[in-house]
């Protein structure tokens, strides 16, 4: 794999795989996205919070599974990372909107969280394509601080599950505060990545 000097921004000469697309983890990504979106739509049509919870469980378990399988089988690719990012957004767009339809009280949280995740976090997650790494999970090879705040296990838990868990517990104010804090971190990270691109000559 291409290694990056985080301070100097240099890299050794190596070729990273873009594909293939037909891999086991990509199949899991496709299956969990279709399943979560389908159950999410049915949940809204049926007015069922239980089905919404099931849809979120499918999304999260599938999201953890595709990454674990990719690492286990040695099938991590840049195309797979992009596909995973797209699948996450498809699930979140449907499930978050559906949750607002079923529980209107979470609308203020969704107004903060949804644009942040769908736009700002998407751009941050795709920033790995500017460097020779396989995906956001490898961004510590570029900048450990940015990685720690956005793609470390703890950061992932707070960024999405933390907000949804607070909503599930009825703590809407807590969820809103967490969502605002996440936005602040994402804005800082976007500025930091912009500066990093300039320092590494990739702007």
């Amino acid at each position: 794999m291409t290694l990056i000097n985080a301070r100097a921004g240099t890299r050794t000469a190596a070729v990273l795989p873009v594909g293939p697309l037909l891999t086991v983890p990509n199949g899991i990504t496709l299956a969990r996205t279709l399943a979560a979106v389908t159950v999410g739509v049915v949940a809204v049509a049926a007015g069922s919070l239980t089905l919404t919870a099931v849809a979120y469980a499918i999304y999260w378990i599938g999201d953890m599974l595709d990454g674990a399988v990719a690492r286990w089988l040695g099938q991590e690719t840049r195309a797979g990372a992009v596909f995973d990012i797209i699948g996450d957004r498809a699930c979140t767009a449907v499930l978050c909107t559906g949750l607002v339809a079923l529980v209107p009280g979470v609308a203020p949280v969704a107004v903060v969280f949804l644009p942040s995740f769908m736009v700002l976090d998407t751009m941050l997650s795709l920033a790995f394509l500017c460097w020779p790494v396989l995906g956001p999970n490898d961004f510590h090879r570029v900048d450990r601080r940015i990685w720690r705040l956005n793609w470390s296990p703890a950061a992932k838990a707070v960024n999405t599950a933390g907000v949804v868990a607070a909503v599930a517990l009825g703590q809407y104010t807590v969820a809103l505060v967490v969502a605002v804090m996440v936005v602040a971190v994402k804005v800082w990270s976007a500025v930091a990545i912009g500066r990093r691109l300039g320092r590494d000559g990739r702007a």
Side-chain angles (χ1 to χ4, degrees):
M1 176 181 291
T2 299
L3 299 179
I4 298 176
N5 183 307
R7 291 186 178 180
T10 59
R11 62 188 185 279
T12 61
V15 177
L16 292 177
V18 174
L21 287 174
L22 298 179
T23 63
V24 174
N26 284 354
I28 294 173
T29 299
L30 177 62
R32 59 96 166 168
T33 300
L34 293 176
V37 168
T38 299
V39 175
V41 171
V42 172
V44 175
S48 173
L49 282 174
T50 299
L51 284 178
T52 300
V54 170
Y56 266 111
I58 293 171
Y59 163 31
W60 286 336
I61 293 173
D63 191 30
M64 291 186 291
L65 184 61
D66 57 16
V69 170
R71 290 185 291 274
W72 182 51
L73 296 179
Q75 294 183 346
E76 292 179 280
T77 64
R78 286 158 71 85
V82 172
F83 189 30
D84 182 72
I85 291 168
I86 293 172
D88 288 348
R89 273 65 194 170
C91 292
T92 297
V94 172
L95 300 185
C96 185
T97 303
L99 186 60
V100 172
L102 295 172
V103 187
V106 306
V109 180
V111 166
V112 175
F113 171 76
L114 198 55
S116 170
F117 188 75
M118 297 297 294
V119 180
L120 186 54
D121 189 72
T122 298
M123 292 301 296
L124 288 173
S125 296
L126 291 174
F128 81 90
L129 293 170
C130 298
W131 286 273
V133 294
L134 289 174
N137 289 333
D138 283 344
F139 206 80
H140 57 86
R141 296 176 179 271
V142 179
D143 191 301
R144 180 166 291 276
R145 182 167 54 173
I146 295 174
W147 170 83
R148 188 181 297 115
L149 289 172
N150 293 276
W151 303 293
S152 65
K156 287 182 177 180
V158 173
N159 289 349
T160 53
V163 176
V164 176
V167 167
L169 293 173
Q171 301 297 318
Y172 299 161
T173 301
V174 173
L176 182 59
V177 170
V178 173
V180 170
M181 292 174 62
V182 169
V183 170
V185 169
K186 298 300 179 184
V187 170
W188 179 90
S189 299
V191 173
I193 285 180
R195 290 174 178 170
R196 183 84 208 191
L197 285 167
R199 289 199 304 269
D200 291 358
R202 298 174 183 275

